[in-house]
Amino acid sequence: MTNPDTTQATTPPIEWPVSLQTIEAAAERIKPHVLRTPCVLSDSLSSSAHRVFLKLEHLQTTGSFKLRGATHAIAQLPAAARQRGVVGVSTGNHGRGLAYAAKQNGIQAVICMGSLVPQNKIDGIAALGADVRIVGNSQDEAQVEVDRLVAQQGMTLLPPFDHPHVISGQGTLGLEILADVPEVDTVIIPLSGGGLLAGIACAVKALKPGVRIIGVTMERGCAMHQSLQAGKPVLVEELPSLADALGGGIGLDNQYTFAMTQALVDDTVLVTEAQIADAIAHAYWQEQQVLEGSGAVGIAALQAGLIDQPGTTVILLSGRNIDMRLHQRVINGERPLL
């Protein structure tokens, strides 16, 4: 479904604190600390009409793209803030990236999450030494504890998406995509709070304005999609989904990612739970890749015929942190949450 407010994608206005220059600077800062993940041709998804490349960011350290933004944000912290520690709200992958980056820098990290976060993601964050707190049933409710820690203990909030340093860190993927597939026509990106899409789109549109940027999210609790349709940030109920990492709201006081997504995205599409499950299975059996639901939504959209005339396409595979028991059920034909 095309968002009527975003059909004419443009480069961001100069007053936005994210630009090609900040993304290029972020790439230099994080280069020693993150993997440059490969971009490979998919024979199974390509056809005579279009070639499809997969950006294998799920192979990133910590299992998702979130390490880029977290690493870049921590690199910018002054000494006093490092001593007080960092705190963030997460649906799992940001928490893992933030916990890892904090540990590498000897910084205390507190990660607050809602009860819908899968146990395997909670365990992965705790294993990195972070203080994990489960608060309420949603990311929005967990944010209350984050705000308390900031106010009472002086911890530094590093949010999962709505932060210039985080967005610039995620945008480094756009530079890599264009370097690897300079002839790209369409980039398909998982869409949640918009930090990943905003960062990649900012880089790609600055260097090659004609590239089409497609955001993909799940039908169940698609906060950014509904906000784009409403023309402003709106509250959306957080629901269980195979694409759990795409859950959570975008914040009614969203400062950056809503406006950037509204300006830079060419299309947003929704995929069903069955389509997500089919994509997870396809990634395993045809691509030999283990993906969580959020990392598979781009494949789901393409397989479901939701992308018109894709041309040379890059699909970002954003994460692999799925409970392996759930993964086994899905690849063997079960379709949870239908």
Side-chain angles (χ1 to χ4, degrees), residues 45 50-55 173 177 184-191 196-197 200 204 211-217 265-269 271 294-318:
L45 293 173
H50 58 264
R51 291 194 304 161
V52 177
F53 293 83
L54 303 176
K55 175 63 169 170
L173 279 160
I177 287 169
V184 64
D185 299 306
T186 304
V187 181
I188 303 176
I189 307 167
L191 175 60
L196 177 64
L197 187 148
I200 292 176
V204 170
V211 174
R212 189 165 53 142
I213 303 293
I214 310 292
V216 185
T217 192
V265 70
D266 294 285
D267 203 358
T268 60
V269 298
V271 289
S294 62
V297 293
I299 293 176
L302 188 69
Q303 285 189 306
L306 301 177
I307 312 297
D308 296 330
Q309 299 180 325
T312 299
T313 300
V314 175
I315 300 176
L316 179 67
L317 308 185
S318 57

Side-chain angles (χ1 to χ4, degrees), residues 7-196:
T7 52
Q8 296 298 318
T10 61
T11 54
I14 193 169
E15 65 267 24
W16 289 355
V18 179
S19 65
L20 178 61
Q21 289 70 36
T22 68
I23 293 168
E24 290 174 334
E28 288 301 312
R29 289 191 186 99
I30 70 175
K31 186 176 180 179
H33 309 293
V34 304
L35 301 177
R36 192 194 190 288
T37 51
C39 196
V40 301
L41 180 68
S42 169
D43 291 330
S44 67
L45 293 173
S46 297
S47 71
S48 58
H50 58 264
R51 291 194 304 161
V52 177
F53 293 83
L54 303 176
K55 175 63 169 170
L56 306 183
E57 183 64 11
H58 66 296
L59 301 181
Q60 184 60 254
T61 305
T62 74
S64 91
F65 73 94
K66 290 288 191 177
L67 182 62
R68 293 174 183 257
T71 297
H72 186 236
I74 281 184
Q76 303 283 70
L77 288 178
R82 288 170 175 255
Q83 291 177 353
R84 292 191 297 269
V86 297
V87 60
V89 67
S90 177
T91 53
N93 287 334
H94 172 64
R96 198 163 187 161
L98 186 57
Y100 181 91
K103 183 178 181 180
Q104 295 300 303
N105 286 271
I107 298 172
Q108 176 193 9
V110 178
I111 309 300
C112 301
M113 297 179 284
S115 61
L116 293 179
V117 176
Q119 189 63 44
N120 70 297
K121 293 188 175 182
I122 296 171
D123 293 342
I125 295 169
L128 290 168
D131 178 358
V132 177
R133 303 186 185 184
I134 307 302
V135 183
N137 296 316
S138 69
Q139 184 170 262
D140 289 337
E141 291 178 13
Q143 183 66 43
V144 175
E145 176 68 3
V146 172
D147 294 341
R148 186 189 70 80
L149 291 169
V150 172
Q152 296 183 7
Q153 299 185 24
M155 301 189 81
T156 296
L157 167 62
L158 291 181
F161 52 87
D162 198 31
H163 189 290
H165 297 331
V166 172
I167 299 168
S168 294
Q170 320 304 26
T172 60
L173 279 160
L175 303 179
E176 294 179 14
I177 287 169
L178 285 183
D180 290 342
V181 190
E183 71 276 22
V184 64
D185 299 306
T186 304
V187 181
I188 303 176
I189 307 167
L191 175 60
S192 179
L196 177 64

